[in-house]
Amino acid sequence: MNAIIVPGVTDLNKGDQALVWESWRLAKDTGLYDEVFILDAGDTLEERELLCKQSEEQGFKLLENILKHPRRGQHKSGEHIKESKFELLKQIKNAGLDFSNTWYLIKICKDLEKVKRKFDAKTYRTVEQFHKAKTIFVKGGGFIHAYGEKTAPYLMWYFLFYVRLAKALDKEVVFLPNSYGPFDGFTVKDQVKTVFNQLDLVYAREHVSATSLSSLLGKEIPVEMDLGFFLEKGSQEEALKVLEKYNFSSEDKIVGITIRPWRFPGLTNPEELYKKYILSVVELTKHILSKGYKVALCNQSLGPNSHEDDRNAIKDLLKEVQDPNVIWINENLTCDVLKAVYSNFYFFVGTRFHSIIFSLTSLVPSIAIGYGGNKAKGIMGDFRLDNYVVQIQDVYPEQLIKMFDQAISEYSEIKIQLEESMSLVMKSRNRLLSDIQGLYK
């Protein structure tokens, strides 16, 4: 009996990498499956190498992804805040063709001979594995949301394609803890309702999202921990080597920072808002330095596109602040080693959501700058850290500085809260295991 984890692995994004690896470990720990396949990613050979190499080196078995991104692996390096109209039009054309093809594939997917005749060998091989699989797991994360963009109808089709394929083949589908909402845009609510009402197990990873999805579906959605919480730290020895490479010592009080490019979907002034966000973190960085701390800028995600590459935002920040105590740890580390690095920090300021999870589970007090739906607000609320989260479009320098100073003044209390919350992690994982096993009793 086999299982498949969708959507594809993205080794360049360390949060997504952790979610896929932990989805695999959870599936294996049920004791139900002989093989657990992970869907690969990358629309070109070069992109696939970047997105899958670390997972392959860890020994995971990969299955070929059959739905390309509308970008087709073509990423413009200068468009990490706003995409050109020409690029958007190309993507819309690709999306139209992809929708037509995948809709037809779902219609005929039960007939493998017909799939073989009508589609290429790669598509046939993947659909054949879907036939053989018992369960399809949708990795944890936060991609079921739309802000009313013109592209929202296809975006939701794209995200839910593999679930539709699985249900067309009468497979059990487990939607692991995710964030959900908002659901703005033409057909978005209808698509989510149609697909989610067919699923066998669905979890939210925080209460804001559980409420959002529950109200849409008219049924209660259980909350379990984001799978990133279950990630075990990698080698401390390797982490210390990284810090030594960048001339950090054990005496340094290090404040880790993750920032990211963001396009502020649904808002009309993305360049202005992005500039305000970067300058807010710049002013906070200067304030942190004035208090005698060192700052470590970290790569939580390195692509595959410029919008997902934190290095672009870090370069924007470093144009505004140059100081020997602001150090960029410019590495492509695996998620578990990156978490081990974070565990050596004194404090953390994270935009990247899983950088916050890695730091919180390492008992490092943190401030979260939230983006992309309900995830940061929900998780920080569940940890009773509501005072230490701000949405990216609302961020101001004075507010970040005030939050930082307050967190430092309450440092011991926050550490105690984090230690108390950690007892919930294994209980949550055990409930997930029990529920999945319960599907087959």
Side-chain angles (χ1 to χ4, degrees):
M1 188 158 81
N2 295 343
I4 299 170
I5 295 162
V6 302
V9 67
T10 47
D11 282 342
L12 289 176
N13 183 318
K14 306 310 168 180
D16 277 354
Q17 184 185 62
L19 292 173
V20 172
W21 290 10
E22 287 303 307
S23 299
W24 183 93
R25 191 165 71 94
L26 188 77
K28 287 299 280 187
D29 283 356
T30 63
L32 293 169
Y33 308 105
D34 303 313
E35 293 283 4
V36 179
F37 293 95
I38 292 172
L39 206 64
D40 76 3
D43 296 332
T44 64
L45 287 173
E46 181 189 11
E47 196 174 76
R48 189 190 181 282
E49 169 90 355
L50 289 168
L51 293 176
C52 302
K53 186 180 179 183
Q54 289 180 341
S55 290
E56 286 186 314
E57 287 173 349
Q58 294 284 324
F60 295 109
K61 291 193 174 179
L62 271 59
L63 192 61
E64 295 161 297
N65 197 335
I66 56 177
L67 176 56
K68 286 188 173 186
H69 190 281
R71 255 191 216 97
R72 298 295 194 266
Q74 304 301 307
H75 305 291
K76 303 296 178 184
S77 60
E79 296 182 358
H80 61 276
I81 304 309
K82 193 173 182 180
E83 206 153 36
S84 70
K85 286 183 179 175
F86 179 65
E87 287 303 313
L88 190 60
L89 285 171
K90 283 202 297 188
Q91 290 179 48
I92 288 168
K93 180 186 173 187
N94 289 335
L97 292 169
D98 290 344
F99 171 74
S100 175
N101 285 332
T102 51
W103 178 84
Y104 181 62
L105 178 61
I106 286 169
K107 196 174 175 184
I108 67 165
C109 65
K110 283 191 173 180
D111 187 338
L112 271 177
E113 281 305 310
K114 191 176 275 190
V115 172
K116 197 171 192 175
R117 286 199 309 274
K118 299 288 185 180
F119 288 89
D120 61 17
K122 180 172 82 168
T123 302
Y124 173 76
R125 287 192 297 268
T126 296
V127 174
E128 185 182 34
Q129 285 296 342
F130 268 73
H131 272 257
K132 293 175 181 176
K134 184 74 174 172
T135 315
I136 309 303
F137 289 93
V138 181
K139 73 175 177 67
F143 53 93
I144 305 300
H145 54 75
Y147 300 88
E149 314 96 313
K150 290 185 178 72
T151 54
Y154 180 73
L155 194 68
M156 209 45 58
W157 174 271
Y158 178 84
F159 285 139
L160 293 172
F161 163 67
Y162 285 104
V163 181
R164 293 177 188 269
L165 177 64
K167 282 324 252 178
L169 293 169
D170 303 317
K171 304 300 177 181
E172 268 89 20
V173 176
V174 177
F175 220 102
L176 292 166
N178 265 260
S179 291
Y180 307 100
F183 306 112
D184 300 330
F186 182 61
T187 78
V188 170
K189 287 187 176 71
D190 288 339
Q191 287 195 61
V192 173
K193 281 196 279 192
T194 299
V195 171
F196 274 73
N197 280 324
Q198 299 177 67
L199 304 185
D200 300 275
L201 291 172
V202 180
Y203 301 95
R205 62 182 175 183
E206 26 73 21
H207 286 89
V208 175
S209 286
T211 301
S212 177
L213 188 60
S214 294
S215 62
L216 181 66
L217 300 182
K219 61 184 179 187
E220 192 173 342
I221 301 298
V223 176
E224 294 296 352
M225 292 272 190
D226 179 276
L227 297 194
F229 283 104
F230 307 148
L231 179 71
E232 294 166 350
K233 276 190 293 190
S235 162
Q236 180 70 351
E237 185 183 349
E238 202 171 329
L240 291 174
K241 279 182 188 171
V242 172
L243 292 172
E244 284 166 17
K245 177 181 173 181
Y246 289 88
N247 298 317
F248 288 108
S249 74
S250 56
E251 289 78 42
D252 291 329
K253 281 190 171 179
I254 307 167
V255 178
I257 293 180
T258 58
I259 52 176
R260 66 155 301 164
W262 188 241
R263 291 181 177 150
F264 298 87
L267 300 174
T268 55
N269 54 339
E271 292 104 328
E272 183 186 323
L273 289 169
Y274 177 72
K275 187 176 180 182
K276 178 170 71 75
Y277 157 61
I278 292 294
L279 291 176
S280 296
V281 180
V282 166
E283 291 305 312
L284 175 64
T285 300
K286 291 175 180 175
H287 179 73
I288 290 167
L289 294 172
S290 75
K291 298 290 184 180
Y293 301 101
K294 287 191 175 181
V295 171
L297 303 172
C298 306
N299 299 335
Q300 181 74 22
S301 178
L302 297 92
N305 56 57
S306 60
H307 172 57
E308 291 296 339
D309 191 338
D310 297 351
R311 294 171 296 187
N312 290 319
I314 290 170
K315 287 172 190 171
D316 291 337
L317 183 142
L318 289 173
K319 288 173 191 169
E320 307 295 332
V321 56
Q322 294 91 34
D323 189 286
N325 288 322
V326 177
I327 299 161
W328 180 6
I329 300 178
N330 190 7
E331 301 286 334
N332 180 16
L333 305 173
T334 57
C335 54
D336 55 336
V337 173
L338 189 61
K339 179 173 177 175
V341 170
Y342 293 172
S343 72
N344 291 280
F345 294 167
Y346 182 75
F347 195 85
F348 205 88
V349 180
T351 305
R352 283 289 181 184
F353 177 66
H354 281 95
S355 70
I356 289 291
I357 286 182
F358 292 1
S359 60
L360 293 178
T361 50
S362 301
L363 307 182
V364 178
S366 305
I367 289 170
I369 300 172
Y371 65 91
N374 295 321
K375 51 190 180 182
K377 182 181 170 188
I379 291 278
M380 294 298 274
D382 289 351
F383 270 73
R384 295 175 290 144
L385 295 171
D386 308 71
N387 294 336
Y388 300 111
V389 59
V390 59
Q391 290 302 111
I392 194 167
Q393 67 269 21
D394 301 325
V395 71
Y396 283 95
E398 302 80 8
Q399 174 193 34
L400 278 184
I401 289 167
K402 184 180 175 184
M403 285 166 70
F404 176 79
D405 287 345
Q406 185 183 340
I408 295 297
S409 72
E410 297 178 358
Y411 192 86
S412 299
E413 293 91 325
I414 294 172
K415 290 276 277 190
I416 291 165
Q417 272 177 242
L418 293 177
E419 284 171 6
E420 288 172 353
S421 299
M422 286 309 103
S423 65
L424 305 174
V425 172
M426 283 316 296
K427 289 178 183 174
S428 178
R429 192 171 190 275
N430 288 335
R431 281 194 298 271
L432 288 168
L433 285 170
S434 178
D435 288 353
I436 296 162
Q437 289 162 340
L439 288 175
Y440 302 105
K441 284 180 180 173

